[in-house]
Amino acid sequence: MKSSSLSMAIALLAMPLAASAQFAKPEDAQRYRKAVFTVMAAHFSQLAAMANGRAPFDAKLAATHADLLGRISHLPYPAFVEGSDQGATQAKPDIWLQPALFKAAARRSQDDIAKLGPAAQSADLARLKSAVSAVGQSCKSCHDEFRRRSLSD
Ligand code: ASC
């Protein structure tokens, strides 16, 4: 291997696995993060329905939702770019004023989401219930801290 292709290979290996989107305009970042949260809610609500007995517990389907959530749970956060705090967003200024706290809340939600898959695969409904409840709590506490109730608040 030539040294240039070796350094290319090393550079590729060193690249973070998570690809984050780039945005031309603040509105693009807002639309993107909102879209990802919408998709997450659509899948999480189906897991919650199983956990709460509103839908039959199907461990395989639950694991599929959990896997999808785990793959996309990191996507919204890099889209909270500087300057995207105005206009059609419920994001509170604390996201930018207290970045370490926001990062910790994002991390907590990702960590809780990562536990959904093993819980679903265990086919133990009680375990799924408790994993779903933990994710629900991290959604809620992040919303309480960092999301305005409506665009007009
Ligand atoms: C959902 C959803 C949220 C969270 C939150 C949990 O299904 O869309 O935003 O759960 O309501 O407290």
Side-chain angles (χ1 to χ4, degrees), residues 64-130:
T64 306
H65 288 301
D67 176 63
L68 191 121
L69 284 162
R71 288 172 190 272
I72 66 175
S73 63
H74 64 282
L75 291 178
Y77 305 102
F80 287 88
V81 291
E82 288 292 334
S84 65
D85 57 338
Q86 304 289 313
T89 181
Q90 285 165 261
K92 284 186 183 171
D94 269 1
I95 289 171
W96 293 274
L97 297 173
Q98 307 274 2
L101 290 183
F102 183 59
K103 210 172 184 165
R107 172 61 62 89
R108 177 183 157 190
S109 110
Q110 289 160 13
D111 289 350
D112 286 340
I113 287 170
K115 293 176 189 150
L116 290 171
Q121 269 158 11
S122 76
D124 173 349
L125 183 57
R127 188 170 160 193
L128 181 67
K129 241 180 164 118
S130 109

Short mmCIF file of all heavy atoms in Angstrom, two decimals, residues 64-130:
data_model
loop_
_atom_site.label_atom_id
_atom_site.label_comp_id
_atom_site.label_asym_id
_atom_site.label_seq_id
_atom_site.Cartn_x
_atom_site.Cartn_y
_atom_site.Cartn_z
N THR A 64 -37.18 -4.21 16.52
CA THR A 64 -36.98 -3.43 15.30
C THR A 64 -37.16 -1.93 15.57
O THR A 64 -36.35 -1.11 15.12
CB THR A 64 -37.96 -3.90 14.20
OG1 THR A 64 -37.81 -5.30 14.04
CG2 THR A 64 -37.68 -3.22 12.88
N HIS A 65 -38.20 -1.59 16.31
CA HIS A 65 -38.39 -0.17 16.67
C HIS A 65 -37.20 0.32 17.50
O HIS A 65 -36.71 1.43 17.29
CB HIS A 65 -39.69 0.01 17.47
CG HIS A 65 -40.93 -0.14 16.65
ND1 HIS A 65 -41.20 0.65 15.56
CD2 HIS A 65 -41.98 -0.99 16.77
CE1 HIS A 65 -42.37 0.29 15.04
NE2 HIS A 65 -42.87 -0.71 15.76
N ALA A 66 -36.78 -0.50 18.46
CA ALA A 66 -35.69 -0.10 19.36
C ALA A 66 -34.40 0.10 18.57
O ALA A 66 -33.66 1.07 18.80
CB ALA A 66 -35.50 -1.17 20.43
N ASP A 67 -34.14 -0.80 17.63
CA ASP A 67 -32.93 -0.70 16.82
C ASP A 67 -32.94 0.59 16.00
O ASP A 67 -31.95 1.33 15.95
CB ASP A 67 -32.84 -1.92 15.89
CG ASP A 67 -31.66 -1.85 14.96
OD1 ASP A 67 -30.52 -1.85 15.46
OD2 ASP A 67 -31.85 -1.77 13.73
N LEU A 68 -34.09 0.88 15.41
CA LEU A 68 -34.20 2.10 14.61
C LEU A 68 -33.97 3.34 15.48
O LEU A 68 -33.24 4.25 15.11
CB LEU A 68 -35.58 2.13 13.96
CG LEU A 68 -35.65 3.24 12.93
CD1 LEU A 68 -35.98 2.68 11.58
CD2 LEU A 68 -36.64 4.28 13.33
N LEU A 69 -34.60 3.34 16.65
CA LEU A 69 -34.43 4.48 17.56
C LEU A 69 -32.96 4.65 17.95
O LEU A 69 -32.45 5.78 17.99
CB LEU A 69 -35.28 4.28 18.82
CG LEU A 69 -36.78 4.55 18.61
CD1 LEU A 69 -37.60 3.92 19.74
CD2 LEU A 69 -37.04 6.05 18.55
N GLY A 70 -32.30 3.53 18.21
CA GLY A 70 -30.88 3.60 18.60
C GLY A 70 -30.02 4.18 17.48
O GLY A 70 -29.07 4.92 17.73
N ARG A 71 -30.38 3.85 16.24
CA ARG A 71 -29.59 4.35 15.12
C ARG A 71 -29.76 5.84 14.89
O ARG A 71 -28.85 6.50 14.38
CB ARG A 71 -29.98 3.62 13.82
CG ARG A 71 -29.49 2.21 13.78
CD ARG A 71 -30.09 1.51 12.58
NE ARG A 71 -29.81 0.08 12.65
CZ ARG A 71 -28.70 -0.46 12.15
NH1 ARG A 71 -27.80 0.28 11.55
NH2 ARG A 71 -28.51 -1.76 12.26
N ILE A 72 -30.93 6.37 15.20
CA ILE A 72 -31.16 7.78 14.86
C ILE A 72 -31.14 8.71 16.08
O ILE A 72 -31.23 9.93 15.91
CB ILE A 72 -32.48 7.98 14.07
CG1 ILE A 72 -33.71 7.66 14.92
CG2 ILE A 72 -32.45 7.17 12.79
CD1 ILE A 72 -35.03 7.97 14.19
N SER A 73 -30.96 8.15 17.28
CA SER A 73 -31.13 8.98 18.49
C SER A 73 -30.08 10.07 18.63
O SER A 73 -30.30 11.04 19.34
CB SER A 73 -31.13 8.10 19.74
OG SER A 73 -29.88 7.44 19.86
N HIS A 74 -28.95 9.93 17.94
CA HIS A 74 -27.92 10.97 18.05
C HIS A 74 -28.13 12.08 17.00
O HIS A 74 -27.47 13.10 17.05
CB HIS A 74 -26.53 10.37 17.86
CG HIS A 74 -26.35 9.79 16.48
ND1 HIS A 74 -26.89 8.56 16.12
CD2 HIS A 74 -25.76 10.29 15.39
CE1 HIS A 74 -26.61 8.35 14.84
NE2 HIS A 74 -25.93 9.37 14.38
N LEU A 75 -29.00 11.84 16.03
CA LEU A 75 -29.07 12.77 14.89
C LEU A 75 -29.55 14.18 15.20
O LEU A 75 -29.04 15.14 14.61
CB LEU A 75 -29.96 12.18 13.78
CG LEU A 75 -29.41 10.95 13.05
CD1 LEU A 75 -30.43 10.47 12.01
CD2 LEU A 75 -28.08 11.24 12.39
N PRO A 76 -30.53 14.37 16.11
CA PRO A 76 -31.06 15.74 16.23
C PRO A 76 -30.06 16.74 16.82
O PRO A 76 -30.11 17.92 16.47
CB PRO A 76 -32.25 15.59 17.20
CG PRO A 76 -32.59 14.14 17.21
CD PRO A 76 -31.32 13.42 16.90
N TYR A 77 -29.16 16.28 17.69
CA TYR A 77 -28.41 17.22 18.53
C TYR A 77 -27.43 18.10 17.77
O TYR A 77 -27.36 19.31 18.04
CB TYR A 77 -27.80 16.48 19.73
CG TYR A 77 -28.92 15.77 20.46
CD1 TYR A 77 -29.13 14.40 20.30
CD2 TYR A 77 -29.85 16.50 21.19
CE1 TYR A 77 -30.22 13.77 20.90
CE2 TYR A 77 -30.95 15.88 21.78
CZ TYR A 77 -31.12 14.52 21.63
OH TYR A 77 -32.21 13.90 22.20
N PRO A 78 -26.68 17.55 16.79
CA PRO A 78 -25.79 18.44 16.03
C PRO A 78 -26.56 19.49 15.22
O PRO A 78 -25.97 20.45 14.72
CB PRO A 78 -25.03 17.50 15.09
CG PRO A 78 -25.19 16.14 15.67
CD PRO A 78 -26.52 16.15 16.37
N ALA A 79 -27.88 19.31 15.10
CA ALA A 79 -28.69 20.27 14.33
C ALA A 79 -29.11 21.47 15.20
O ALA A 79 -29.76 22.39 14.68
CB ALA A 79 -29.91 19.58 13.73
N PHE A 80 -28.75 21.46 16.47
CA PHE A 80 -29.00 22.66 17.29
C PHE A 80 -27.82 23.61 17.11
O PHE A 80 -27.08 23.91 18.03
CB PHE A 80 -29.21 22.26 18.76
CG PHE A 80 -30.54 21.59 19.00
CD1 PHE A 80 -30.67 20.22 18.86
CD2 PHE A 80 -31.66 22.34 19.33
CE1 PHE A 80 -31.91 19.59 19.05
CE2 PHE A 80 -32.91 21.73 19.52
CZ PHE A 80 -33.03 20.35 19.38
N VAL A 81 -27.65 24.05 15.86
CA VAL A 81 -26.50 24.89 15.52
C VAL A 81 -26.71 26.31 16.03
O VAL A 81 -27.85 26.75 16.23
CB VAL A 81 -26.26 24.92 13.98
CG1 VAL A 81 -25.78 23.57 13.48
CG2 VAL A 81 -27.52 25.33 13.23
N GLU A 82 -25.59 27.02 16.23
CA GLU A 82 -25.65 28.43 16.61
C GLU A 82 -26.53 29.18 15.63
O GLU A 82 -26.46 28.95 14.43
CB GLU A 82 -24.24 29.05 16.56
CG GLU A 82 -23.30 28.60 17.66
CD GLU A 82 -23.71 29.09 19.05
OE1 GLU A 82 -24.38 30.14 19.15
OE2 GLU A 82 -23.36 28.40 20.02
N GLY A 83 -27.36 30.06 16.15
CA GLY A 83 -28.17 30.91 15.27
C GLY A 83 -29.49 30.27 14.87
O GLY A 83 -30.27 30.86 14.13
N SER A 84 -29.76 29.04 15.37
CA SER A 84 -31.02 28.38 14.99
C SER A 84 -32.01 28.41 16.16
O SER A 84 -32.82 27.51 16.33
CB SER A 84 -30.77 26.95 14.51
OG SER A 84 -30.27 26.14 15.56
N ASP A 85 -31.92 29.48 16.95
CA ASP A 85 -32.78 29.61 18.13
C ASP A 85 -33.95 30.56 17.90
O ASP A 85 -34.72 30.83 18.81
CB ASP A 85 -31.95 30.10 19.33
CG ASP A 85 -31.24 31.42 19.03
OD1 ASP A 85 -31.04 31.74 17.83
OD2 ASP A 85 -30.89 32.14 19.98
N GLN A 86 -34.08 31.08 16.70
CA GLN A 86 -35.14 32.05 16.40
C GLN A 86 -36.13 31.45 15.41
O GLN A 86 -35.78 30.53 14.69
CB GLN A 86 -34.54 33.31 15.73
CG GLN A 86 -33.44 33.99 16.51
CD GLN A 86 -33.97 34.69 17.75
OE1 GLN A 86 -34.95 35.41 17.68
NE2 GLN A 86 -33.32 34.47 18.89
N GLY A 87 -37.34 32.04 15.39
CA GLY A 87 -38.31 31.63 14.37
C GLY A 87 -39.09 30.41 14.80
O GLY A 87 -39.46 30.28 15.96
N ALA A 88 -39.34 29.52 13.83
CA ALA A 88 -40.25 28.39 14.05
C ALA A 88 -39.58 27.26 14.83
O ALA A 88 -39.36 26.17 14.32
CB ALA A 88 -40.77 27.88 12.72
N THR A 89 -39.25 27.56 16.09
CA THR A 89 -38.64 26.52 16.92
C THR A 89 -39.12 26.66 18.35
O THR A 89 -39.36 27.76 18.83
CB THR A 89 -37.09 26.60 16.88
OG1 THR A 89 -36.56 25.55 17.70
CG2 THR A 89 -36.57 27.95 17.36
N GLN A 90 -39.29 25.51 19.00
CA GLN A 90 -39.65 25.50 20.42
C GLN A 90 -38.40 25.40 21.29
O GLN A 90 -38.50 25.29 22.51
CB GLN A 90 -40.60 24.34 20.71
CG GLN A 90 -42.01 24.61 20.21
CD GLN A 90 -42.83 23.33 20.20
OE1 GLN A 90 -42.99 22.68 19.15
NE2 GLN A 90 -43.34 22.94 21.35
N ALA A 91 -37.24 25.43 20.66
CA ALA A 91 -35.99 25.33 21.42
C ALA A 91 -35.83 26.53 22.35
O ALA A 91 -36.00 27.67 21.93
CB ALA A 91 -34.81 25.26 20.45
N LYS A 92 -35.51 26.24 23.62
CA LYS A 92 -35.28 27.33 24.58
C LYS A 92 -33.83 27.81 24.48
O LYS A 92 -32.93 27.01 24.18
CB LYS A 92 -35.53 26.83 26.00
CG LYS A 92 -36.99 26.68 26.38
CD LYS A 92 -37.09 26.33 27.87
CE LYS A 92 -38.52 26.10 28.30
NZ LYS A 92 -38.58 25.56 29.68
N PRO A 93 -33.60 29.08 24.83
CA PRO A 93 -32.22 29.63 24.77
C PRO A 93 -31.22 28.84 25.62
O PRO A 93 -30.03 28.82 25.30
CB PRO A 93 -32.38 31.05 25.35
CG PRO A 93 -33.83 31.39 25.20
CD PRO A 93 -34.59 30.09 25.22
N ASP A 94 -31.69 28.15 26.68
CA ASP A 94 -30.76 27.40 27.53
C ASP A 94 -29.98 26.33 26.77
O ASP A 94 -28.92 25.91 27.22
CB ASP A 94 -31.50 26.75 28.71
CG ASP A 94 -31.53 27.68 29.92
OD1 ASP A 94 -30.99 28.81 29.82
OD2 ASP A 94 -32.08 27.28 30.96
N ILE A 95 -30.52 25.89 25.65
CA ILE A 95 -29.77 24.92 24.84
C ILE A 95 -28.39 25.49 24.50
O ILE A 95 -27.38 24.78 24.54
CB ILE A 95 -30.56 24.56 23.56
CG1 ILE A 95 -31.77 23.72 23.94
CG2 ILE A 95 -29.68 23.84 22.53
CD1 ILE A 95 -32.76 23.48 22.80
N TRP A 96 -28.36 26.79 24.19
CA TRP A 96 -27.10 27.43 23.81
C TRP A 96 -26.41 28.07 25.00
O TRP A 96 -25.19 28.25 24.99
CB TRP A 96 -27.35 28.44 22.68
CG TRP A 96 -27.76 27.73 21.44
CD1 TRP A 96 -26.92 27.20 20.48
CD2 TRP A 96 -29.09 27.41 21.01
NE1 TRP A 96 -27.66 26.57 19.50
CE2 TRP A 96 -28.99 26.69 19.79
CE3 TRP A 96 -30.37 27.65 21.53
CZ2 TRP A 96 -30.11 26.22 19.09
CZ3 TRP A 96 -31.48 27.18 20.83
CH2 TRP A 96 -31.34 26.48 19.63
N LEU A 97 -27.20 28.44 26.04
CA LEU A 97 -26.60 29.10 27.21
C LEU A 97 -25.99 28.09 28.18
O LEU A 97 -25.08 28.41 28.94
CB LEU A 97 -27.67 29.94 27.95
CG LEU A 97 -28.26 31.09 27.13
CD1 LEU A 97 -29.43 31.75 27.88
CD2 LEU A 97 -27.18 32.13 26.83
N GLN A 98 -26.55 26.87 28.18
CA GLN A 98 -26.09 25.82 29.09
C GLN A 98 -25.76 24.57 28.28
O GLN A 98 -26.39 23.51 28.47
CB GLN A 98 -27.21 25.45 30.08
CG GLN A 98 -27.81 26.60 30.83
CD GLN A 98 -27.01 26.91 32.09
OE1 GLN A 98 -25.99 26.26 32.37
NE2 GLN A 98 -27.44 27.89 32.85
N PRO A 99 -24.78 24.67 27.38
CA PRO A 99 -24.55 23.55 26.47
C PRO A 99 -24.18 22.23 27.17
O PRO A 99 -24.56 21.16 26.69
CB PRO A 99 -23.41 24.04 25.56
CG PRO A 99 -22.82 25.21 26.25
CD PRO A 99 -23.88 25.81 27.12
N ALA A 100 -23.49 22.33 28.30
CA ALA A 100 -23.09 21.09 28.98
C ALA A 100 -24.33 20.37 29.52
O ALA A 100 -24.40 19.14 29.48
CB ALA A 100 -22.10 21.38 30.10
N LEU A 101 -25.29 21.16 30.01
CA LEU A 101 -26.52 20.54 30.54
C LEU A 101 -27.33 19.92 29.40
O LEU A 101 -27.90 18.83 29.54
CB LEU A 101 -27.39 21.58 31.26
CG LEU A 101 -26.85 22.10 32.59
CD1 LEU A 101 -27.85 23.06 33.23
CD2 LEU A 101 -26.55 20.94 33.54
N PHE A 102 -27.38 20.62 28.26
CA PHE A 102 -28.13 20.09 27.12
C PHE A 102 -27.46 18.80 26.62
O PHE A 102 -28.14 17.81 26.33
CB PHE A 102 -28.20 21.13 26.00
CG PHE A 102 -29.02 20.69 24.82
CD1 PHE A 102 -30.36 20.36 24.97
CD2 PHE A 102 -28.45 20.61 23.56
CE1 PHE A 102 -31.13 19.94 23.88
CE2 PHE A 102 -29.21 20.20 22.46
CZ PHE A 102 -30.54 19.87 22.63
N LYS A 103 -26.15 18.82 26.56
CA LYS A 103 -25.41 17.64 26.12
C LYS A 103 -25.68 16.45 27.06
O LYS A 103 -25.86 15.32 26.60
CB LYS A 103 -23.91 17.97 26.13
CG LYS A 103 -23.13 17.21 25.11
CD LYS A 103 -21.71 17.73 25.02
CE LYS A 103 -21.00 16.98 23.89
NZ LYS A 103 -19.78 17.60 23.48
N ALA A 104 -25.70 16.75 28.35
CA ALA A 104 -25.94 15.68 29.33
C ALA A 104 -27.35 15.10 29.16
O ALA A 104 -27.56 13.89 29.26
CB ALA A 104 -25.75 16.20 30.75
N ALA A 105 -28.33 15.98 28.88
CA ALA A 105 -29.71 15.52 28.68
C ALA A 105 -29.79 14.66 27.41
O ALA A 105 -30.47 13.62 27.39
CB ALA A 105 -30.66 16.71 28.60
N ALA A 106 -29.08 15.10 26.37
CA ALA A 106 -29.08 14.32 25.12
C ALA A 106 -28.44 12.96 25.36
O ALA A 106 -28.96 11.92 24.92
CB ALA A 106 -28.30 15.08 24.04
N ARG A 107 -27.34 12.96 26.09
CA ARG A 107 -26.64 11.71 26.38
C ARG A 107 -27.52 10.76 27.20
O ARG A 107 -27.59 9.56 26.92
CB ARG A 107 -25.32 12.03 27.12
CG ARG A 107 -24.57 10.82 27.67
CD ARG A 107 -24.16 9.86 26.59
NE ARG A 107 -23.24 10.48 25.65
CZ ARG A 107 -21.92 10.50 25.78
NH1 ARG A 107 -21.36 9.93 26.82
NH2 ARG A 107 -21.16 11.07 24.88
N ARG A 108 -28.21 11.32 28.18
CA ARG A 108 -29.09 10.49 29.00
C ARG A 108 -30.15 9.83 28.13
O ARG A 108 -30.43 8.63 28.26
CB ARG A 108 -29.75 11.36 30.08
CG ARG A 108 -30.72 10.56 30.92
CD ARG A 108 -31.44 11.41 31.95
NE ARG A 108 -32.69 10.74 32.31
CZ ARG A 108 -33.65 11.30 33.03
NH1 ARG A 108 -33.52 12.53 33.48
NH2 ARG A 108 -34.75 10.63 33.30
N SER A 109 -30.72 10.61 27.21
CA SER A 109 -31.77 10.02 26.38
C SER A 109 -31.19 8.94 25.46
O SER A 109 -31.78 7.89 25.28
CB SER A 109 -32.52 11.13 25.63
OG SER A 109 -32.23 11.10 24.27
N GLN A 110 -29.99 9.20 24.92
CA GLN A 110 -29.37 8.19 24.06
C GLN A 110 -29.06 6.92 24.85
O GLN A 110 -29.24 5.80 24.36
CB GLN A 110 -28.09 8.75 23.42
CG GLN A 110 -28.40 9.79 22.37
CD GLN A 110 -27.22 10.70 22.07
OE1 GLN A 110 -26.10 10.43 22.45
NE2 GLN A 110 -27.48 11.80 21.39
N ASP A 111 -28.56 7.09 26.08
CA ASP A 111 -28.23 5.93 26.91
C ASP A 111 -29.49 5.12 27.24
O ASP A 111 -29.48 3.89 27.20
CB ASP A 111 -27.55 6.37 28.22
CG ASP A 111 -26.14 6.88 27.99
OD1 ASP A 111 -25.61 6.72 26.87
OD2 ASP A 111 -25.55 7.46 28.93
N ASP A 112 -30.56 5.84 27.55
CA ASP A 112 -31.82 5.14 27.86
C ASP A 112 -32.37 4.44 26.62
O ASP A 112 -32.87 3.31 26.71
CB ASP A 112 -32.84 6.12 28.45
CG ASP A 112 -32.49 6.50 29.89
OD1 ASP A 112 -31.73 5.76 30.54
OD2 ASP A 112 -32.98 7.54 30.37
N ILE A 113 -32.28 5.11 25.47
CA ILE A 113 -32.76 4.51 24.22
C ILE A 113 -31.96 3.24 23.90
O ILE A 113 -32.52 2.24 23.43
CB ILE A 113 -32.73 5.53 23.07
CG1 ILE A 113 -33.87 6.54 23.26
CG2 ILE A 113 -32.82 4.86 21.70
CD1 ILE A 113 -33.81 7.76 22.35
N ALA A 114 -30.65 3.28 24.19
CA ALA A 114 -29.80 2.11 23.91
C ALA A 114 -30.23 0.88 24.71
O ALA A 114 -29.92 -0.25 24.33
CB ALA A 114 -28.33 2.44 24.20
N LYS A 115 -30.95 1.09 25.81
CA LYS A 115 -31.39 -0.06 26.63
C LYS A 115 -32.70 -0.66 26.13
O LYS A 115 -33.11 -1.72 26.61
CB LYS A 115 -31.53 0.38 28.08
CG LYS A 115 -30.19 0.73 28.70
CD LYS A 115 -30.36 1.25 30.12
CE LYS A 115 -29.02 1.80 30.63
NZ LYS A 115 -29.19 2.90 31.59
N LEU A 116 -33.35 0.01 25.17
CA LEU A 116 -34.63 -0.51 24.67
C LEU A 116 -34.44 -1.83 23.92
O LEU A 116 -35.26 -2.74 24.05
CB LEU A 116 -35.30 0.50 23.74
CG LEU A 116 -35.86 1.78 24.37
CD1 LEU A 116 -36.29 2.76 23.27
CD2 LEU A 116 -37.04 1.47 25.30
N GLY A 117 -33.38 -1.91 23.11
CA GLY A 117 -33.15 -3.09 22.26
C GLY A 117 -32.99 -4.35 23.10
O GLY A 117 -33.74 -5.32 22.91
N PRO A 118 -32.03 -4.36 24.04
CA PRO A 118 -31.87 -5.54 24.90
C PRO A 118 -33.15 -5.87 25.66
O PRO A 118 -33.49 -7.05 25.82
CB PRO A 118 -30.75 -5.13 25.87
CG PRO A 118 -30.00 -4.05 25.17
CD PRO A 118 -30.96 -3.37 24.25
N ALA A 119 -33.88 -4.84 26.09
CA ALA A 119 -35.13 -5.11 26.82
C ALA A 119 -36.14 -5.78 25.90
O ALA A 119 -36.81 -6.75 26.29
CB ALA A 119 -35.70 -3.81 27.38
N ALA A 120 -36.25 -5.29 24.65
CA ALA A 120 -37.19 -5.88 23.70
C ALA A 120 -36.79 -7.32 23.39
O ALA A 120 -37.64 -8.22 23.36
CB ALA A 120 -37.25 -5.04 22.43
N GLN A 121 -35.49 -7.52 23.16
CA GLN A 121 -35.02 -8.87 22.80
C GLN A 121 -35.19 -9.88 23.91
O GLN A 121 -35.30 -11.08 23.66
CB GLN A 121 -33.56 -8.81 22.36
CG GLN A 121 -33.46 -8.58 20.86
CD GLN A 121 -32.14 -7.99 20.45
OE1 GLN A 121 -31.21 -7.93 21.24
NE2 GLN A 121 -32.06 -7.55 19.21
N SER A 122 -35.21 -9.40 25.14
CA SER A 122 -35.37 -10.32 26.27
C SER A 122 -36.78 -10.92 26.28
O SER A 122 -37.02 -11.91 26.96
CB SER A 122 -35.12 -9.60 27.59
OG SER A 122 -36.24 -8.78 27.93
N ALA A 123 -37.70 -10.29 25.51
CA ALA A 123 -39.10 -10.73 25.46
C ALA A 123 -39.74 -10.71 26.84
O ALA A 123 -40.73 -11.39 27.08
CB ALA A 123 -39.23 -12.11 24.80
N ASP A 124 -39.15 -9.91 27.74
CA ASP A 124 -39.67 -9.78 29.10
C ASP A 124 -40.44 -8.45 29.14
O ASP A 124 -39.84 -7.37 29.12
CB ASP A 124 -38.47 -9.79 30.06
CG ASP A 124 -38.86 -9.50 31.50
OD1 ASP A 124 -40.01 -9.08 31.75
OD2 ASP A 124 -38.00 -9.68 32.38
N LEU A 125 -41.76 -8.54 29.17
CA LEU A 125 -42.59 -7.34 29.07
C LEU A 125 -42.32 -6.36 30.22
O LEU A 125 -42.29 -5.15 30.02
CB LEU A 125 -44.07 -7.71 29.01
CG LEU A 125 -45.04 -6.54 28.82
CD1 LEU A 125 -44.74 -5.72 27.57
CD2 LEU A 125 -46.49 -7.04 28.77
N ALA A 126 -42.06 -6.89 31.41
CA ALA A 126 -41.78 -6.01 32.56
C ALA A 126 -40.50 -5.21 32.31
O ALA A 126 -40.40 -4.02 32.64
CB ALA A 126 -41.67 -6.82 33.84
N ARG A 127 -39.52 -5.87 31.70
CA ARG A 127 -38.25 -5.20 31.42
C ARG A 127 -38.45 -4.13 30.33
O ARG A 127 -37.91 -3.03 30.42
CB ARG A 127 -37.21 -6.23 30.98
CG ARG A 127 -35.84 -5.64 30.86
CD ARG A 127 -34.78 -6.72 30.68
NE ARG A 127 -33.59 -6.10 30.10
CZ ARG A 127 -32.59 -6.76 29.58
NH1 ARG A 127 -32.58 -8.08 29.60
NH2 ARG A 127 -31.56 -6.12 29.06
N LEU A 128 -39.25 -4.46 29.33
CA LEU A 128 -39.54 -3.47 28.28
C LEU A 128 -40.27 -2.27 28.88
O LEU A 128 -39.95 -1.12 28.58
CB LEU A 128 -40.38 -4.08 27.15
CG LEU A 128 -40.70 -3.09 26.02
CD1 LEU A 128 -39.43 -2.68 25.25
CD2 LEU A 128 -41.74 -3.64 25.04
N LYS A 129 -41.21 -2.58 29.76
CA LYS A 129 -41.97 -1.52 30.42
C LYS A 129 -41.05 -0.56 31.15
O LYS A 129 -41.19 0.65 31.03
CB LYS A 129 -42.88 -2.17 31.48
CG LYS A 129 -44.33 -1.95 31.27
CD LYS A 129 -45.10 -2.64 32.40
CE LYS A 129 -46.49 -2.11 32.42
NZ LYS A 129 -47.54 -3.01 32.20
N SER A 130 -40.10 -1.11 31.89
CA SER A 130 -39.24 -0.22 32.67
C SER A 130 -38.28 0.54 31.76
O SER A 130 -38.01 1.73 32.00
CB SER A 130 -38.61 -0.99 33.83
OG SER A 130 -37.25 -1.18 33.63
#
